[in-house]
């Protein structure tokens, strides 16, 4: 775009506030997308810009337990701002134009909203809500690339002070280590599975319902160059998940490792020196200074000395810290990923499966997700193309041994953190000339397969995404092989297998299967639990008499779903929440028959018998479930919709869905594995009934207020007449709780009422809620509307 040349974009909003944006140039498309997304989510994007600029403490103070200060310091140490110019300059001209337009569109909406009530109360008039520079967006895109890595380590990096004369600094609080493992279901069906013989894709990402990790639904058109529908992360241009006329794709969070921690053997008396093979290496120090807002409104400067090994920044881990003998450092596979935007834009422009696959091979920019895709000819494809460290065979052998013998390594890996020996040169990442960056696996070493029936993924590793496809011999940093699958993965494989075997799959049948809310754990165990409870009668649980006969009657009448009308769903939920994830995957207190890698879809199974020493753990778990529900004020015969809800502003919307332990496809729960790092306010916290269940069932006084789970739900078939899709955005298109689009998506989700995903001009123009607007950057936008947005 020539200097000073105005941007022009046509926006058509359809039902539920979906924005269809058309421009004649890349900058015009970015301008329209930036404007429309900011209209729905400007405060959340602005908050993220302040975060990556290391200015949270400047505007909000040091934060609880110094969290804002640590975050600011950590982002400085990660160098996200310093890397932004390199990321920008690495892009082709059309992507730079797209982002420049996005920044201009954001600022155009802000100019309209300032000095009005268009912004929500929580940010109106705040000094951090201000125009952004193009470089601010590039800084944020570095951070998006770190969603499964450095983003979640920023605070522990910012707290990594070396031990001094008074000894080591206190370990970071547990809250400082963010969770970076979202969940999702993704299905790609080939022509052998569908009624039409074309490909069909189902996307069911499970993400937070608040904060920066939400999706925003849009349709972007640049005639002759781009015509893509789907969702984008807030503040990000383009579409990250969706479809065009030829290919559709879904993503699920990869089980693999996007970074590694390295344990350093420190030199006695010198905690900033470490052994490396036969030599001693010195860490390098760098001082970072942050402005901090004090309670009296003044600004003070805080300087902290942080450290780096040759691997990368030092970290101060919760519970472990940085000691006198051992320290920890980290290396990130996505910190230098300059190809993310080219990756997603190339996928959006692909005109065939071959072209789609070529993007992965040539660009290698996928940061942290699996991809499941299908095309119009009926080809279905799975790949985990996430950026993954490349270890030698010897290092892989040591890694497996470490998981068996090193308690710290085991605990970290359970949290999806891979630990290497940073003092052993043999554990260094290996270089391959075919990889996107030094130290990463090249494309030809990535797990993938293509079929004409189906492929699925539900966040377990690459090993089993079709019952007959065992991908073996890949790096454990892609995830482990021949290990037990989650109940949700097993339910995905069983359900998709049944749908594919019928050979008559449609969009409607696929969505109905996702939203059926059928519980695999109940299918496997409920009848036996009922029999055990009936035989037990009245038992004592923590000094309270509990009548399990009544509980058994409720479970016997339960439909074994997590629907709004399901009576017994909460009782079963609290029962299975009494067992941890490992007990769900092996013989033990819950299952009688152990996991068998030869039968991974059907094992473990069968209810365990009482233990001679521990007693009847099953009966005890059910009795505790009855007791916890009573403490929460939840009748054990309450329909799920009476006690599970989503709070959307002033609206309490009863919602269906379950949590991970139940083995349902449709996750909707009070807790999720991907943390929001947004300062966006939410409703006041509920009073927990059992703190140990905060991160499982999430039961609290009154029941279950959901905050995480099904977000964008899409089924799309690639037909000869163009893509035909249905779906919804479960938390709505707008983050402003005064907007009707903050709640209408949730009401549609609750009713299981999908809508057409409008792709053609005729379909868009026929929408009964159509609103049109032409935006021009040189003046206030002019409107041509059937109503005002």
């Amino acid at each position: 775009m020539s200097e000073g040349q105005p941007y022009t974009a046509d926006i058509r909003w359809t039902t539920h506030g979906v924005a269809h944006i058309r421009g004649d140039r890349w900058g015009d498309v970015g301008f329209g997308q930036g404007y429309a997304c900011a209209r729905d989510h400007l405060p959340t994007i602005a908050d993220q810009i302040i975060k990556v600029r290391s200015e949270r403490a400047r505007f909000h103070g040091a934060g609880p337990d110094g969290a804002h200060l640590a975050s600011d310091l950590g982002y400085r140490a990660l160098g996200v701002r310093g890397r932004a110019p390199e990321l920008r300059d690495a892009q082709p001209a059309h992507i730079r134009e797209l982002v420049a337009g996005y920044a201009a569109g954001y600022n155009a909406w802000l100019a309209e909203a300032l000095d009005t009530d268009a912004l929500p109360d929580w940010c109106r008039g705040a000094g951090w809500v201000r125009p952004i520079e193009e470089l601010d967006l590039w800084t944020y895109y570095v951070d998006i690339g770190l969603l499964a890595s450095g983003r979640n380590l920023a605070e522990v990096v910012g707290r990594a002070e070396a031990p001094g004369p008074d000894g080591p600094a206190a370990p970071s609080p547990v809250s400082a280590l963010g969770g970076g493992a979202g969940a999702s279901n993704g299905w790609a069906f080939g022509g052998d599975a569908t009624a039409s013989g074309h490909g069909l894709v189902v996307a069911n990402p499970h993400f937070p319902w608040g904060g920066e990790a939400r999706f925003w639904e849009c349709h972007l058109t640049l005639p002759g160059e781009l015509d893509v529908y789907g969702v984008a992360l807030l503040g990000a241009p383009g579409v990250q998940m969706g479809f065009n006329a030829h290919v559709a794709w879904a993503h699920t969070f990869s089980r693999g490792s996007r970074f590694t921690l390295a344990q350093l053997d420190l030199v006695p008396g010198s905690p900033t020196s470490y052994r490396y093979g036969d030599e001693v290496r010195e860490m390098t120090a760098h001082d970072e200074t942050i402005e901090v807002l004090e309670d009296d409104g003044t600004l003070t400067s805080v300087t902290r000395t942080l450290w780096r090994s040759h691997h990368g920044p030092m970290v101060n881990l919760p519970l472990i810290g940085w000691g006198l003998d051992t320290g920890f450092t980290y290396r990130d596979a996505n910190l230098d990923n300059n190809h993310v935007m080219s990756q997603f834009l190339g996928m959006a422009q692909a005109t065939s499966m071959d072209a789609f696959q070529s993007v992965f091979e040539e660009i290698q920019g996928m940061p942290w997700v699996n991809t499941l895709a299908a095309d119009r000819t009926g080809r279905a494809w799975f790949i985990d193309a996430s950026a993954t460290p490349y270890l030698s065979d010897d290092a892989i052998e040591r890694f497996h041994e470490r998981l068996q013998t090193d308690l710290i390594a085991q605990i970290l890996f359970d949290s999806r953190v891979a630990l290497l020996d940073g003092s052993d040169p043999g554990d260094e990442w290996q270089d391959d000339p075919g990889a996107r960056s030094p130290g990463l696996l090249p494309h030809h070493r990535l797990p993938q397969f293509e079929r004409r029936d189906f492929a699925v993924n539900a966040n377990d590793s690459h090993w089993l995404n079709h019952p007959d496809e065992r991908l073996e011999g890949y790096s454990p940093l892609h995830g482990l092989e021949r290990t037990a699958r989650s109940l949700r993965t097993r339910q995905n494989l069983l359900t998709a297998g049944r749908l594919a075997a019928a050979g008559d799959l449609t969009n409607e049948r696929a969505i109905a299967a996702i939203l059926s809310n059928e519980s695999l754990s109940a299918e496997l165990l409920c009848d036996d639990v009922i029999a055990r409870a009936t035989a037990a009668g009245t038992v004592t649980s923590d000094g309270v008499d509990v009548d399990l006969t009544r509980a058994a009657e409720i479970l016997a009448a339960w439909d074994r779903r997590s629907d709004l009308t399901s009576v017994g769903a909460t009782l079963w939920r609290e029962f299975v929440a009494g067992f941890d994830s490992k007990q769900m995957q092996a013989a033990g207190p819950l299952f009688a028959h152990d996991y068998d890698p030869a039968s991974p879809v059907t094992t473990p199974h069968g209810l365990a018998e009482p233990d001679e020493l521990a007693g009847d753990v099953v009966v005890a778990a059910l009795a505790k479930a009855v007791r916890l529900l009573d403490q929460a004020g939840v009748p054990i015969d309450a329909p799920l919709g009476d006690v599970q809800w989503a709070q959307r502003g002033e609206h309490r919307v009863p919602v269906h869905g379950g949590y991970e332990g139940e083995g349902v496809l449709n996750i909707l729960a009070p807790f999720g594995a991907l943390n929001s790092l947004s300062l966006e306010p939410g409703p006041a916290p509920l009073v927990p009934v059992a703190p140990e269940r905060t991160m499982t069932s999430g039961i609290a006084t009154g029941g279950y207020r959901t905050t995480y789970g099904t977000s964008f739900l899409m089924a799309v078939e690639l037909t000869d007449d163009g893509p035909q899709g249905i779906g919804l955005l479960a938390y709505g298109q707008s983050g402003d709780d005064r907007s009707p689009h903050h709640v209408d998506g949730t009401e549609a989700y609750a009713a299981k009422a999908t809508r057409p995903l409008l792709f053609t001009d005729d379909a868009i123009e026929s929408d009964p809620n159509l609103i049109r607007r032409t935006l021009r950057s040189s003046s206030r936008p002019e409107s041509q509307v059937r109503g005002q947005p």
Side-chain angles (χ1 to χ4, degrees):
M1 174 169 291
S2 301
E3 185 70 26
Q5 190 173 357
Y7 295 106
T8 301
D10 292 317
I11 306 180
R12 292 176 290 180
W13 285 275
T14 54
T15 297
H16 292 176
V18 177
H20 304 258
I21 299 156
R22 180 187 295 266
D24 292 332
R25 296 161 299 185
W26 288 100
D28 295 335
V29 174
F31 178 69
Q33 188 177 15
Y35 178 95
C37 187
R39 194 190 72 157
D40 289 325
H41 292 287
L42 185 142
T44 303
I45 302 170
D47 170 56
Q48 293 305 296
I49 297 298
I50 295 302
K51 179 192 76 176
V52 299
R53 286 175 58 101
S54 294
E55 293 180 335
R56 272 195 169 164
R58 182 180 187 276
F59 289 100
H60 302 291
D65 204 7
H68 299 337
L69 175 60
S71 172
D72 288 348
L73 288 163
Y75 273 101
R76 283 279 184 86
L78 292 174
V80 293
R81 184 67 170 180
R83 294 178 184 276
E86 177 186 342
L87 173 62
R88 176 198 60 201
D89 295 345
Q91 307 308 310
H94 65 288
I95 292 181
R96 292 195 58 174
E97 292 171 10
L98 182 71
V99 173
Y102 198 104
Y106 174 103
N107 289 334
W109 165 250
L110 178 61
E112 289 187 22
L114 286 176
D115 302 323
T116 74
D117 64 356
L119 291 171
D121 289 340
W122 71 276
C123 69
R124 194 178 304 152
W128 51 271
V129 178
R130 60 193 183 189
I132 62 172
E133 304 169 359
E134 182 186 342
L135 195 62
D136 292 330
L137 288 179
W138 290 112
T139 307
Y140 184 45
Y141 301 154
V142 176
D143 186 48
I144 288 177
L146 305 180
L147 189 67
S149 54
R151 162 193 183 269
N152 308 295
L153 300 173
E155 279 196 46
V156 298
V157 170
R159 297 177 188 270
E161 296 182 88
D166 297 328
S172 295
V174 173
S175 61
L177 190 60
S184 303
N185 304 314
W187 296 349
F189 291 96
D192 291 352
T194 62
S196 67
H198 299 291
L200 187 153
V201 169
V202 177
N204 179 213
H206 304 152
F207 266 58
W209 276 38
E212 76 280 14
R214 280 173 293 182
F215 293 115
W216 183 77
E217 193 171 351
C218 60
H219 176 199
L220 308 177
T221 303
L222 174 61
E225 296 281 352
L226 181 72
D227 195 10
V228 62
Y229 188 111
V231 289
L233 289 170
L234 305 186
V239 161
Q240 284 86 59
M241 184 175 352
F243 61 92
N244 61 28
H246 311 281
V247 186
W249 64 96
H251 294 303
T252 61
F253 246 91
S254 168
R255 183 68 183 184
S257 300
R258 310 286 78 84
F259 69 97
T260 56
L261 279 184
Q263 182 171 325
L264 300 178
D265 181 13
L266 303 180
V267 174
S270 180
T272 59
S273 306
Y274 59 98
R275 293 186 176 90
Y276 185 70
D278 296 329
E279 61 181 283
V280 170
R281 292 196 174 187
E282 301 295 329
M283 299 179 195
T284 57
H286 53 105
D287 290 341
E288 301 292 352
T289 301
I290 299 296
E291 288 189 320
V292 179
L293 180 68
E294 301 294 344
D295 292 341
D296 62 3
T298 61
L299 290 174
T300 60
S301 294
V302 174
T303 298
R304 184 171 294 172
T305 301
L306 301 174
W307 297 83
R308 297 179 64 89
S309 73
H310 77 279
H311 300 286
M314 295 296 291
V315 297
N316 178 354
L317 295 177
L319 306 178
I320 299 173
W322 177 349
L324 299 177
D325 301 317
T326 301
F328 295 87
T329 182
Y330 113 98
R331 183 176 177 183
D332 202 305
N334 277 311
L335 197 56
D336 61 351
N337 187 350
N338 293 334
H339 301 272
V340 175
M341 298 188 72
S342 291
Q343 175 74 40
F344 284 110
L345 197 56
M347 293 159 58
Q349 293 179 283
T351 57
S352 67
M353 180 62 80
D354 284 342
F356 189 82
Q357 292 173 339
S358 293
V359 172
F360 287 75
E361 181 175 4
E362 295 169 7
I363 296 177
Q364 300 187 51
M366 188 59 69
W368 30 257
V369 287
N370 304 300
T371 302
L372 300 105
D375 75 347
R376 189 161 49 89
T377 69
R379 297 166 63 184
W381 185 52
F382 162 85
I383 186 171
D384 183 0
S386 307
T388 303
Y390 183 5
L391 300 183
S392 69
D393 291 343
D394 288 344
I396 287 174
E397 183 176 349
R398 286 192 296 274
F399 181 79
H400 282 297
E401 291 174 358
R402 200 174 292 123
L403 293 183
Q404 300 301 316
T405 61
D406 186 326
L407 180 60
I408 292 178
Q410 294 168 11
I411 293 172
L412 288 171
F413 198 67
D414 285 344
S415 299
R416 302 193 179 197
V417 177
L419 180 65
L420 304 179
D421 185 347
S423 289
D424 184 347
D427 272 12
E428 288 284 0
W429 297 9
Q430 304 298 297
D431 293 343
D432 188 296
R436 181 257 296 166
S437 298
L440 301 187
L441 285 165
H443 178 79
H444 71 272
R445 292 183 178 271
L446 304 179
Q448 56 185 295
F449 67 86
E450 183 177 324
R451 299 181 64 93
R452 287 195 62 83
D453 54 357
F454 72 96
V456 304
N457 184 264
N459 309 111
D460 274 318
S461 77
H462 59 276
W463 177 59
L464 188 74
N465 292 307
H466 184 286
D468 299 329
E469 289 278 357
R470 311 292 169 90
L471 298 181
E472 298 185 353
Y474 293 92
S475 170
L477 298 192
H478 273 300
L480 300 182
E481 298 166 359
R482 299 181 61 79
T483 55
R485 307 290 94 173
S486 71
L487 285 172
R488 181 163 59 85
T489 288
R490 292 168 63 184
Q491 185 74 312
N492 269 266
L493 289 163
L494 290 165
T495 303
R498 287 193 295 266
L499 293 172
D504 58 356
L505 184 63
T506 62
N507 288 334
E508 290 73 20
R509 288 174 180 165
I511 293 292
I514 289 284
L515 297 181
S516 69
N517 293 314
E518 295 173 346
S519 168
L520 180 59
S521 63
E523 180 182 332
L524 293 171
L525 298 168
C526 193
D527 286 342
D528 289 339
V529 171
I530 291 168
R532 189 82 62 82
T534 301
T538 298
V539 301
T540 301
S541 175
D542 282 356
V544 177
D545 288 340
V546 177
D547 178 13
L548 291 186
T549 304
R550 174 62 176 150
E553 292 171 350
I554 290 171
L555 290 178
W558 174 39
D559 61 7
R560 304 190 183 184
R561 300 172 185 257
S562 293
D563 277 336
L564 293 176
T565 57
S566 296
V567 174
T570 59
L571 180 57
W572 186 257
R573 176 177 300 173
E574 292 308 322
F575 166 70
V576 296
F579 302 89
D580 63 35
S581 59
K582 291 187 176 181
Q583 292 169 336
M584 294 282 187
Q585 296 181 327
L590 182 61
F591 283 111
H593 300 285
D594 204 0
Y595 165 71
D596 181 356
S599 303
V601 181
T602 56
T603 60
H605 64 82
L607 188 66
E609 294 296 327
D611 184 89
E612 292 184 5
L613 296 178
D616 197 330
V617 177
V618 168
V619 165
L622 186 60
K624 184 174 183 178
V626 173
R627 188 166 49 80
L628 287 178
L629 289 169
D630 181 64
Q631 291 175 15
V634 175
I636 63 172
D637 60 353
L640 181 61
D642 287 0
V643 294
Q644 177 169 281
W645 72 98
Q647 196 69 41
R648 309 304 293 157
E650 297 179 350
H651 303 274
R652 173 176 164 142
V653 183
V655 289
H656 49 86
Y659 102 99
E660 286 285 343
E662 297 169 61
V664 297
L665 301 177
N666 177 33
I667 299 298
L668 199 60
F671 169 81
L674 180 64
N675 292 349
S676 169
L677 300 183
S678 171
L679 299 186
E680 176 183 335
L686 301 178
V687 179
V689 171
E692 72 274 13
R693 299 207 172 174
T694 300
M695 294 187 290
T696 55
S697 71
I699 188 170
T701 300
Y704 308 91
R705 186 175 66 202
T706 59
T707 63
Y708 176 95
T710 288
S711 53
F712 180 54
L713 180 60
M714 172 191 85
V716 62
E717 186 172 12
L718 290 309
T719 77
D720 289 335
D721 296 324
Q724 306 294 322
I726 58 175
L728 53 81
L729 189 61
Y731 39 63
Q733 182 81 328
S734 175
D736 188 339
D737 62 15
R738 301 167 301 171
S739 168
H741 302 315
H742 188 71
V743 67
D744 54 8
T746 307
E747 292 170 337
Y749 165 83
K752 301 184 181 180
T754 59
R755 51 177 161 74
L757 305 182
L758 307 177
F759 192 71
T760 66
D761 280 337
D762 286 347
I764 295 166
E765 291 295 323
S766 299
D767 185 85
N769 301 301
L770 179 66
I771 298 170
R772 297 190 190 90
R773 175 168 287 181
T774 297
L775 303 173
R776 293 187 176 89
S777 62
S778 57
S779 62
R780 196 171 177 84
E782 69 179 41
S783 300
Q784 303 149 347
V785 302
R786 294 182 194 170
Q788 289 291 334

